[in-house]
Amino acid sequence: MHTSFQIGQVDPRVFGGFLEHMGRAVYQGVYEPGSPHADEKGFRKDVLKALRELEMTVMRYPGGNFASGYHWPDGVGPKDHRPKIRELAWQSVEPNQFGTDEYITLCRDTGWTPMLTVNLGTGTAEEARNWVEYCNSVPGTRYADMRAANGSTDPHAVKLWCLGNEMDGPWQLGHVPADQYAIRAQQAAKMMKDVDRSIELVVCGSCNTGLPTYIEWDRQVLEYIGGLADYISLHRYVGNRDDDTPDFLAVGNAIDRQIAEIDAVCRYVQAKQRSNKRAYLCFDEWNVWYKNRSGNGEGQFAPHLSEEVYNLEDALVVAGFLNSFVRHADVVKIANIAQIVNVISPLLTRDDKLLVQSTFYPFAMFSKRKNGASLQMIVDGPKYTAKTYGEAHYVDASAILDKDQLHLFAVNRSLSQEAVVEIELVGARIAALENGECLTGTSPKSANSFEKPDVVRPRLFTEAKIANGKARVALPPLSVTAMTLSLAG
Ligand code: AHR
């Protein structure tokens, strides 16, 4: 590595989360007025305390697929006037007791930056525009006055807005072909920006590399919407369906490739339109998700949906996603792990208990070290050939330079071999290992449970030999290590 070979500043918004009205994410997740853990607003203090440790930045809401059938006016105003509805994305009952104002309060309490997804499935451009006014305008007009009457004279100041969700997916409520979505998105974007010029918009890109419309959807939508799109979204859920751990751990190759391909479309459209404006990437859903795909709430309120249990190999894959985002700091500006509690999440609640899952730890290890510039890195070491994802280094890594500190993140994908790594930086000398953490275990399938909550937990990482301005560390097999090294000139 060279201190001057910088890919770009890591945008802190890459460490975002996603809260959807799905399963028990909202109700029995962040919000449960009847819980012994509830604060005076009904938020679960135990859940929020754990989430604060993740130092998440942006928080996407209210969906997801849920957003495509959601009408935001249902979720504001006196709670006893809000309708209870049958929602169709997850076939559940939505009582609307948590809506825009509760979400904004939650964001203020936690320090999250709000990020709202408008309904471009069954909703209209006008409804989207009205939501911007509700959130961002000063009192004096209808929707801003409505907000003030609901208790917030000051605007909520929501800067980030998604123009629908996964509109390329045939499962999406109101799904239409790319040319029709592009018209909807352009009309909504124009009206939303007419209300508030300062907002930033995320247009729906391809949500799945396997869809036949992949890439072509992105091109069509970007060409039509032009400079109104500040970002284009991409999603990725991965899994170890064939129970092939080395292959699964190499999935980072596919994530790198997906980022490169979507970025290529952005550049293509920018060049074709001779535009100064470039759409950046918003990876607003990503995670491991394959063991529990339940999505039918069968008419229940807060059903148990997609309560995936995570193990060590999943945690290493989560670290691989984050490595990839750091390595692409020049183009990936926002990313949201999907989701934050109960639904495909690092946290699970059961009555008044809370379980911290394996995937919590890599996110925390990266997030506390997120400030600085991503450095170009050459990993020179042994490789293997994964069945699906091709040639992969055993060590997958990224690095962030923050003044006189170097944050280093490394996954050792080997199931059996320690990786002895020499870290060399041109432009500065490594002086000391300031701190480090390592998450590892004996089996890729090791997982925490309510009965045994501490099976997968990071330990301190203190072993580094520093000599001649270089560091030498040994990474255990099947591990993710995050460390901060202090630098001298
Ligand atoms: O995060 C769960 C779901 O996955 C989201 O609602 C949807 O956008 C995606 O398909």
Side-chain angles (χ1 to χ4, degrees), residues 199-242:
I199 62 174
E200 291 193 305
L201 297 176
V202 184
V203 74
C204 283
S206 289
C207 69
N208 190 317
T209 57
L211 287 175
T213 49
Y214 179 61
I215 288 294
E216 186 50 20
W217 169 282
D218 306 80
R219 181 195 65 75
Q220 276 184 268
V221 167
L222 282 172
E223 280 191 10
Y224 190 84
I225 198 164
L228 286 171
D230 299 288
Y231 307 95
I232 186 163
S233 71
L234 54 165
H235 292 177
R236 184 113 192 184
Y237 293 103
V238 300
N240 187 4
R241 291 183 184 80
D242 296 335

Side-chain angles (χ1 to χ4, degrees), residues 94-106:
E94 173 52 58
N96 284 303
Q97 295 302 291
F98 184 99
T100 305
D101 298 306
E102 290 78 20
Y103 161 71
I104 294 293
T105 303
L106 182 62

Side-chain angles (χ1 to χ4, degrees), residues 377-391:
M377 175 189 268
I378 293 175
V379 175
D380 184 12
K383 297 179 182 176
Y384 66 100
T385 304
K387 193 176 73 190
T388 317
Y389 303 111
E391 200 172 70

Side-chain angles (χ1 to χ4, degrees), residues 60-79:
R60 183 168 178 252
Y61 172 84
N65 295 343
F66 175 83
S68 297
Y70 183 59
H71 298 290
W72 67 267
D74 291 348
V76 299
K79 290 197 176 185

Side-chain angles (χ1 to χ4, degrees), residues 167 175-183 213 216-218 220-221:
M167 290 301 297
H175 158 73
V176 280
D179 55 344
Q180 292 179 44
Y181 166 68
I183 293 170
T213 49
E216 186 50 20
W217 169 282
D218 306 80
Q220 276 184 268
V221 167

